[in-house]
Amino acid sequence: PDEQEAGRFSGVVSQLENILAYLLSKKEYHLAAMISRAFHAPVDPPFKPRMAEAVRKTSARNILVSMIADMRKSRKDSPEYRSIYAYLSTVEREVTEVMLELLADEADRAARIFIIDLVKDLGKNHILMIGDRLSDKRWYFVRNIVVILGESKTEQALAFLRKAAEHKDVRIRQEVVKGLIYIGGKRAAGVMMKLLRDTDPDIQLMAIRGLADLNGVGAEEAKAFAELLADRLLKKKEQELTLELINALGKIGGPDAGEFLKRYTRIRWWKPRKLQKELRDAALRAMERIKRRPGNGRRAER
């Protein structure tokens, strides 16, 4: 009868649960990982509730926290480390949630770096859950979340970085720029362009440099640089950004950008001469760089 079969199945699972508890107490993680994998094996519908209960027990918070602590004490190439990793990979969603909780409260920098690296790996299939933590009020925690998202290089992560690019804390926006550079390509360029007009000059500088070095950028981004240049005033405090924009146009601009840069080659007597000479020299270098590229298209040299 089905009831008798279910009872027998439950008895087997109970034995495995007891063995698992013993193995964990003895830190025999290799064998424990085998049992955890067994609990995730597909079963017939009548047995699923009992298996789900067993999985909940294998992924209890206290178990996972203890294993992560043991993992930190082990060398990455050691059998113990690999055994713990094998166990945690069977409960990656549960352990990702636990690690995010630990990350939010961890004061030790080395421990935070360890957890971040582990989340990047074990949490790569749970970007949605990780991205939801961007609403946390602790800036340092949100910054760590942005680091994890940037290195995941997924479409979901890019959507979350777009949201984080509007965060009021400048330190988080700085991390967004780094994440976009890590992702690279045309996908990241669209988000980076929003940061070209950030209220913080350092963010603008990072965005200009980052965008100019992304693969796949060209005419659209060059136009954004030119528009931003056209709005700038000839002032000493704005000179660094202006020079960086000219240099960026030299990297990615085409013939249109070369024509635009001609405006900086003329020296006007009624304006500060030193600032104008700096802009002229930068513009001439950029124009020459554009001319050297085959077809005056996207940069050929690095």
Side-chain angles (χ1 to χ4, degrees), residues 24-267:
L24 291 175
S25 70
K26 296 296 183 181
K27 300 187 185 299
E28 294 284 351
Y29 295 122
H30 174 66
L31 294 173
M34 293 173 63
I35 295 177
S36 183
R37 279 196 297 271
F39 285 161
H40 287 80
V43 294
D44 292 335
F47 304 141
K48 285 184 178 180
R50 183 66 184 91
M51 286 288 265
E53 181 185 349
V55 169
R56 282 195 297 273
K57 291 179 180 179
T58 64
S59 58
R61 188 182 188 281
N62 63 314
I63 292 175
L64 300 181
V65 170
S66 176
M67 294 179 82
I68 292 168
D70 286 341
M71 213 173 182
R72 275 200 68 204
K73 299 172 188 174
S74 307
R75 296 192 325 273
K76 203 165 186 177
D77 60 346
S78 67
E80 184 179 36
Y81 185 99
R82 292 196 296 268
S83 297
I84 298 173
Y85 185 90
Y87 186 103
L88 296 181
S89 65
T90 66
V91 290
E92 59 180 28
R93 180 177 180 83
E94 292 82 0
V95 76
T96 297
E97 193 165 0
V98 169
M99 287 190 293
L100 291 177
E101 292 172 7
L102 293 175
L103 186 60
D105 298 324
E106 183 57 65
D108 182 71
R109 184 174 182 273
R112 287 199 307 272
I113 292 172
F114 176 83
I115 295 170
I116 288 171
D117 288 340
L118 203 53
V119 174
K120 289 174 190 175
D121 200 2
L122 290 171
K124 60 182 177 291
N125 296 321
H126 305 285
I127 295 300
L128 186 61
M129 180 175 67
I130 295 171
D132 284 341
R133 302 301 182 100
L134 286 176
S135 57
D136 195 279
K137 295 186 182 301
R138 293 163 291 189
W139 71 266
Y140 53 89
F141 178 56
V142 174
R143 184 177 63 180
N144 291 331
I145 294 297
V146 170
V147 172
I148 295 167
L149 290 171
E151 297 197 19
S152 72
K153 294 187 176 183
T154 64
E155 287 291 342
Q156 277 186 323
L158 202 58
F160 283 117
L161 290 179
R162 186 176 289 110
K163 175 184 176 183
E166 300 173 356
H167 200 282
K168 63 182 180 181
D169 195 298
V170 66
R171 292 164 292 194
I172 291 171
R173 300 201 302 279
Q174 287 175 342
E175 213 59 57
V176 169
V177 176
K178 294 176 187 177
L180 293 171
I181 293 171
Y182 194 85
I183 292 172
K186 198 72 174 177
R187 299 179 304 157
V191 182
M192 191 87 82
M193 284 173 67
K194 291 177 58 179
L195 293 164
L196 289 177
R197 293 185 179 272
D198 194 274
T199 55
D200 186 89
D202 290 336
I203 297 290
Q204 283 186 299
L205 191 61
M206 288 177 68
I208 293 166
R209 290 172 176 169
L211 190 56
D213 287 331
L214 289 182
N215 290 323
V217 300
E220 184 181 354
E221 292 74 23
K223 182 180 178 183
F225 286 149
E227 290 174 352
L228 194 57
L229 267 170
D231 293 339
R232 301 195 66 76
L233 301 173
L234 187 64
K235 290 185 177 180
K236 188 174 181 179
K237 66 177 183 179
E238 298 190 18
Q239 188 77 341
E240 183 182 10
L241 277 175
T242 305
L243 290 170
E244 199 63 48
L245 281 165
I246 291 173
N247 181 54
L249 273 179
K251 287 183 176 182
I252 69 172
D256 290 344
E259 286 297 316
F260 174 84
L261 289 172
K262 285 182 179 179
R263 66 178 63 189
Y264 295 102
T265 60
R266 297 186 295 273
I267 302 293

Side-chain angles (χ1 to χ4, degrees), residues 265-296:
T265 60
R266 297 186 295 273
I267 302 293
R268 295 169 175 82
W269 64 267
W270 65 91
K271 292 184 177 182
R273 189 171 183 84
K274 182 181 177 181
L275 297 182
Q276 289 187 85
K277 286 184 69 175
E278 288 179 347
L279 296 180
R280 182 189 63 186
D281 293 345
L284 289 172
R285 286 194 300 270
M287 291 164 66
E288 183 59 30
R289 194 172 187 180
I290 291 170
K291 288 178 184 178
R292 286 201 307 267
R293 285 200 295 273
N296 293 339

